[in-house]
Amino acid sequence: MSNYCPQPSHPAPAAGVLVLHAWWGLTPFFRSFCDRLAAEDFRVLAPDLYNGATASTIPQAEKLRSTLKRQQVLAQIQVSAAELRALAGSEQIGLVGFSLGAYYGMWLADIDPSIAALVAFYGIRQGEYTACRAAFQFHLAHPDPYVSDSGGKSLEKSLKAAARPAEFFHYPDTGHWFFESDQPAYHPAFAQAAWTRAVYFLKRNLTVK
């Protein structure tokens, strides 16, 4: 199992953030995203769910995703979260997930009370979240063939019923992967807005001991 773990800008204690990549794999874009978080003084760790393999087309990504074994991925994410907690010296960490990574990140938040804040880019997961302790922030494209409006509304109701704080930001006339600068759907203005919102949210909800 390989991880990407850039150093924060300053040696002082830093809040930990786990980053889970989209189905493209741990590409240069996601590594650069981790670098940007580290420059904001977060302790960042990104597990490589494909062990070095990456995709540049949707068929390639679909093929890579099909190789994932659910229980192995869940175990890998749990190990990575534990490693990050040790690095950050804190029992609470944040999480940023993209599409596939958002789904697995929400699974982790649903069962792991150490996840205090979760940012999900164009990805959701249905659940009750009654044992969850995280605050949530969602960045959703519209229209998006991978995330239905009804699914988003159902999740919003579930989080409200579970008394979990959640912010939903919708980006009109965009598509899935609008945040990713190496994808055709990239929207620079909305990507910058989402970045600013995500960083503020993580800093607001994560404490450094």
Side-chain angles (χ1 to χ4, degrees):
M1 179 178 68
S2 59
N3 295 323
Y4 184 64
C5 189
Q7 294 298 313
S9 295
H10 300 95
V17 178
L18 190 71
V19 174
L20 301 181
H21 60 72
W23 67 354
W24 312 111
L26 191 56
T27 62
F29 170 79
F30 294 111
R31 292 174 183 268
S32 68
F33 177 80
C34 293
D35 294 340
R36 291 173 71 188
L37 283 178
E40 293 287 341
D41 296 328
F42 292 107
R43 172 71 69 176
V44 185
L45 189 149
D48 186 346
L49 304 181
Y50 293 150
N51 295 312
T54 60
S56 58
T57 67
I58 289 177
Q60 290 173 351
E62 289 175 334
K63 184 176 181 179
L64 279 177
R65 184 185 60 180
S66 71
T67 67
L68 293 178
K69 294 180 173 56
R70 178 181 172 83
Q71 292 306 316
Q72 290 182 1
V73 173
L74 300 181
Q76 180 179 355
I77 292 171
Q78 287 177 297
V79 169
S80 296
E83 182 178 339
L84 178 60
R85 289 196 298 271
L87 288 171
S90 174
E91 287 303 312
Q92 289 195 323
I93 59 174
L95 191 152
V96 181
F98 295 85
S99 194
L100 172 76
Y103 172 85
Y104 280 114
M106 292 188 70
W107 170 86
L108 184 63
D110 199 9
I111 66 166
D112 187 344
S114 75
I115 306 301
L118 187 149
V119 179
F121 284 91
Y122 28 82
I124 62 174
R125 171 189 175 274
Q126 301 301 332
E128 295 184 356
Y129 297 96
T130 53
C132 178
R133 294 294 178 267
F136 292 86
Q137 184 182 80
F138 296 89
H139 300 277
L140 302 176
H142 184 80
D144 189 340
Y146 297 95
V147 180
S148 68
D149 290 342
S150 60
K153 291 177 181 177
S154 177
L155 175 61
E156 190 169 1
K157 290 180 180 178
S158 296
L159 292 174
K160 185 176 182 179
R164 301 319 312 148
E167 300 174 343
F168 285 80
F169 294 102
H170 299 269
Y171 300 84
D173 301 319
T174 60
H176 212 74
W177 311 301
F178 75 87
F179 187 81
E180 298 167 37
S181 58
D182 58 350
Q183 295 299 321
Y186 178 57
H187 193 296
F190 284 153
Q192 181 58 47
W195 166 257
T196 300
R197 288 164 170 166
V199 170
Y200 177 75
F201 172 81
L202 291 169
K203 290 185 174 181
R204 188 176 76 237
N205 286 283
L206 297 176
T207 58
V208 177
K209 296 183 179 179

